[in-house]
Amino acid sequence: MIKRLVDRLIFGGLLIATLQIPMLADHYLQYLSGFFDANTQQVDAYTANARRHGFDSAESMIDALLQEPNPIVRVDAEHKLEILRQHHMLEQAMETLSNGHLLDKALFMFNPVRLDELKRVLVHFKPGLPIDVESIAFCIVVALGLNLMLYLPLLLCRRLRKNNSRPAASPN
C-alpha cells in the first residue's frame, strides 16, 4: 500500500513538473519578444540608413564600414554585424517558441548554451497549468515515461531476486 502511495506521489510530482514546461515556454517567448522587438528596430534602422546612403542592404553597408581605415568605424561595424547575427538567432528562436512542438521548445530552452538566459527567464516565472489539450496530453505521456524509467530498475531487481530465490529444479 505504501509503495502504491509513493508511486502515485512520484507520478504526481513528475506530472506537475512536466506541466510547467509549456508555461515556461510561453514565459520564455514573452521574454524574447521584447528583446526581439528592440533588436528588430535596430536592424530596421541599419537597413534604412544603408538604403539612404546607396547600399543594397545593411550587410553591404557593414562590409563597406569594415574596410574603413578608422578603427572606431570598424569597431562600430563589428557591433552592427553582431546585432544582425543576434537578430537572425532571435528570429529562429521566436519561430521555435511560437510554432514548434513542445519537445522542440523544451530542447531549445534547456540547451546548456542558453543556461544564463534560462536563469533570467526563471527569475520571474510563476508556475501554472497549461490549458491546451495537446500540452496536457504530452506532459502526461512524459510523466508516465519518466515514472516508468524511475521504477524500471526496481522492477528488474525485484524480478531477479524472485528468480534467484526459487529453488532450483532437481535433476532427478
Side-chain angles (χ1 to χ4, degrees):
M1 183 171 127
I2 291 179
K3 290 179 185 177
R4 284 189 205 163
L5 179 64
V6 169
D7 181 44
R8 288 179 181 158
L9 286 173
I10 289 174
F11 172 73
L14 289 170
L15 181 60
I16 289 170
T18 57
L19 284 170
Q20 299 315 300
I21 294 172
M23 303 302 294
L24 183 60
D26 288 342
H27 197 74
Y28 206 114
L29 178 62
Q30 290 174 3
Y31 169 81
L32 284 185
S33 289
F35 191 47
F36 179 72
D37 290 344
N39 188 280
T40 299
Q41 287 177 356
Q42 265 189 311
V43 170
D44 289 347
Y46 295 162
T47 302
N49 190 25
R51 289 202 175 116
R52 204 175 18 234
H53 291 94
F55 293 97
D56 294 336
S57 65
E59 291 85 358
S60 60
M61 176 186 73
I62 292 170
D63 288 341
L65 292 173
L66 287 170
Q67 303 305 317
E68 288 293 318
N70 190 335
I72 192 75
V73 174
R74 286 193 312 269
V75 168
D76 186 53
E78 289 169 1
H79 176 70
K80 285 176 173 44
L81 192 58
E82 183 59 31
I83 296 294
L84 290 177
R85 285 186 192 124
Q86 264 184 354
H87 186 70
H88 181 67
M89 288 189 306
L90 284 168
E91 284 177 328
Q92 291 174 337
M94 294 294 289
E95 176 63 27
T96 299
L97 292 173
S98 296
N99 303 320
H101 188 273
L102 193 55
L103 183 60
D104 296 328
K105 293 176 185 182
L107 290 173
F108 175 84
M109 292 184 303
F110 298 117
N111 186 328
V113 172
R114 295 181 193 86
L115 186 61
D116 291 335
E117 198 169 80
L118 180 61
K119 286 178 183 177
R120 287 192 299 272
V121 170
L122 286 171
V123 167
H124 300 289
F125 177 70
K126 301 282 187 253
L129 295 174
I131 56 173
D132 62 297
V133 176
E134 180 186 345
S135 293
I136 293 171
F138 179 80
C139 291
I140 289 171
V141 169
V142 170
L144 283 170
L146 289 172
N147 197 36
L148 180 64
M149 285 175 46
L150 287 173
Y151 278 100
L152 191 60
L154 295 174
L155 293 173
L156 292 174
C157 286
R158 191 179 303 157
R159 182 170 281 186
L160 283 174
R161 269 194 236 138
K162 190 176 181 181
N163 288 341
N164 289 338
S165 65
R166 288 185 186 165
S170 61
N172 300 349

